[in-house]
Every structure is written in structure tokens, then in C-alpha cells.
Amino acid sequence: MEFTGIDHFVLTVEDIEETCAFYSALGAEIVTYGEGRTALQFGEQKINLHPAGDEFEPKAVSPTPGAGDFCVLTALSIDAVEERLRDAGVAVVEGPVARTGTTGPITSVYVRDPDGNLVELAASAAQTGE
């Protein structure tokens, strides 16, 4: 197989509306697809949302809210990301810190979503021009 990227992944969440409000404040587009399913669109990728206790089949063996840990890239500078987080009332768990991304150095800040998932928001110097 020759993988070309990630299309989507799934988060199991306690409250779809609360999750959508959080991620839309970060800049995600909320999309509805299929038979009324909800997803968070980030560029050409998305995060499908499954309601805890009423997940769609097939599903993970033990779908659990708050078990996610992932990184989302942004074209904004980390300073702009921190400003957006402050404006949205989202606490930074850690950062900014230097990390190694898939294609090179990134600068990241970490936050937790309403279910406790760890969300890394990262900017690369190549994308932000820094």
C-alpha cells in the first residue's frame, strides 16, 4: 500500500453540540454528512464525531471520550493562535514549545477539548513565514 494522507479520524464525545462549539471557536467548519452525522472540517481533513453510547458501526473496540491526542496544523503564527485561544477562553495546557512535525520543525501549544482530548495546535516556520 502507498498511503497518501489521512482523510479523517473519529472522536467519541459526550456532547456533539459542546464539541462543535469548542472546535468552531478554534476555526473548524462544522459539517453534516450522510444520515445527519456531524464532523469537524480542517482543510482537506475531518474529524467525525460519534456520540458516546450511540457510536456508528463499525467502531473501535472501546470507544471512550477523552482518549484522543492529536495535532492540527495552522497557517497562523503561534502568537495569533494564543490570541485566538485567549479570546475564546481556552486555557493553554503547555506551550509554546518546539516540536518535530512530519515535515520539519513546528511550534506548538496544547489545549484540552470539552471531553479532555489533548489537542496540539502547531505552526511550522515554512507555513507561517517565521
Side-chain angles (χ1 to χ4, degrees):
M1 277 185 249
E2 294 183 32
F3 297 112
T4 60
I6 295 174
D7 180 80
H8 74 277
F9 62 89
V10 174
L11 286 180
T12 301
V13 301
E14 291 291 342
D15 186 318
I16 298 275
E17 288 182 23
E18 184 179 21
T19 299
C20 288
F22 176 84
Y23 284 99
S24 66
L26 299 184
E29 178 185 352
I30 310 307
V31 295
T32 303
Y33 69 101
E35 297 175 10
R37 295 175 65 176
T38 304
L40 310 167
Q41 186 86 34
F42 292 91
E44 294 181 9
Q45 295 82 37
K46 66 180 177 141
I47 302 171
N48 294 346
L49 302 177
H50 287 192
D54 193 23
E55 298 87 3
F56 299 96
E57 295 292 342
K59 63 180 184 259
V61 172
S62 301
T64 305
D69 179 344
F70 59 92
C71 178
V72 179
L73 297 172
T74 177
L76 297 177
S77 70
I78 282 300
D79 290 340
V81 169
E82 288 183 297
E83 182 179 336
R84 178 172 251 175
L85 293 171
R86 274 192 302 277
D87 291 347
V90 176
V92 172
V93 173
E94 185 177 330
V97 293
R99 296 288 191 240
T100 302
T102 302
T103 61
I106 57 177
T107 303
S108 301
V109 293
Y110 293 83
V111 300
R112 293 204 185 275
D113 74 6
D115 288 292
N117 295 301
L118 185 64
V119 182
E120 180 179 354
L121 305 167
S124 73
Q127 283 218 245
T128 61
E130 293 180 345

